[in-house]
């Protein structure tokens, strides 16, 4: 089949669920305009899509929102949202660096308390990448 969508790039969309549970990979692609990616300094090779699950990041991210994750941006900056892996569980959290070098993992939903994390003490935890775009399904 010939791709007639000139000027677009496809990002892997694995339907991997983040925040509460790890879901299965169902495959698929989402398309983004090449000029849109370029204007934001994004490269297709670094992008993955995941689907949020749970309410810990509401109102910013709702359950079933699709998140575009830039895996080249895995050195956390204050106030940005990241996907984090611990063993086979993925979380999406806002990160704030503390003076002692540890990270505070913050849920936008005030019902959930922040979690303190020192990456040096937890080699099994990895910052996967920064959430750079959120797509919401309005139906």
């Amino acid at each position: 089949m010939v791709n007639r969508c000139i000027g677009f790039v496809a990002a892997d969309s694995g339907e991997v669920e983040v925040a509460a549970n790890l879901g299965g990979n169902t495959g698929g692609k989402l398309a983004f305009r090449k000029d849109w990616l370029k204007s934001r300094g994004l490269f297709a090779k670094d992008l993955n899509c995941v689907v949020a699950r749970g309410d810990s990041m509401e109102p910013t991210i709702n359950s079933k929102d699709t998140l575009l994750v830039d895996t080249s941006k895995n050195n956390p900056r204050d106030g940005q949202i990241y996907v984090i892996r611990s063993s086979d569980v993925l979380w999406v959290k806002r990160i704030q660096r503390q003076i002692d070098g540890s990270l505070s993992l913050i849920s936008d939903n005030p019902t959930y308390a922040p979690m303190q994390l020192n990456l040096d003490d937890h080699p099994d935890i990895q910052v996967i990448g920064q959430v750079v775009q959120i797509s919401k399904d309005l139906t």
Side-chain angles (χ1 to χ4, degrees):
M1 179 177 195
V2 176
N3 184 350
R4 297 181 191 266
C5 295
I6 298 170
F8 283 83
V9 130
D12 286 329
S13 172
E15 293 289 324
V16 174
E17 294 177 341
V18 296
N21 296 325
L22 176 66
N25 188 333
T26 61
K29 302 264 184 197
L30 291 178
F32 296 91
R33 290 185 52 92
K34 289 180 182 179
D35 59 342
W36 183 86
L37 294 177
K38 184 177 180 182
S39 72
R40 286 158 179 77
L42 302 173
F43 299 93
K45 67 179 180 60
D46 299 324
L47 302 175
N48 285 290
C49 294
V50 294
V51 176
R53 180 174 178 184
D55 65 352
S56 69
M57 289 301 291
E58 288 181 355
T60 309
I61 299 171
N62 296 310
S63 196
K64 298 185 182 176
D65 284 352
T66 300
L67 313 177
L68 183 63
V69 180
D70 184 347
T71 60
S72 74
K73 297 178 180 173
N74 56 10
N75 186 15
R77 292 186 3 230
D78 271 354
Q80 301 301 311
I81 299 173
Y82 292 85
V83 173
I84 301 146
R85 177 186 1 224
S86 174
S87 299
D88 63 347
V89 176
L90 297 175
W91 298 322
V92 60
K93 298 292 175 199
R94 191 173 300 279
I95 292 182
Q96 183 176 28
R97 286 192 176 274
Q98 303 300 305
I99 292 175
D100 64 2
S102 66
L103 302 176
S104 183
L105 306 182
I106 302 166
S107 297
D108 284 3
N109 184 336
T111 303
Y112 298 89
M115 298 181 286
Q116 299 306 313
L117 174 65
N118 187 331
L119 291 175
D120 294 335
D121 295 341
H122 300 281
D124 63 318
I125 295 179
Q126 176 187 11
V127 178
I128 300 298
Q130 183 181 346
V131 175
V132 293
Q133 198 266 345
I134 302 166
S135 295
K136 298 182 178 290
D137 187 358
L138 300 177
T139 59

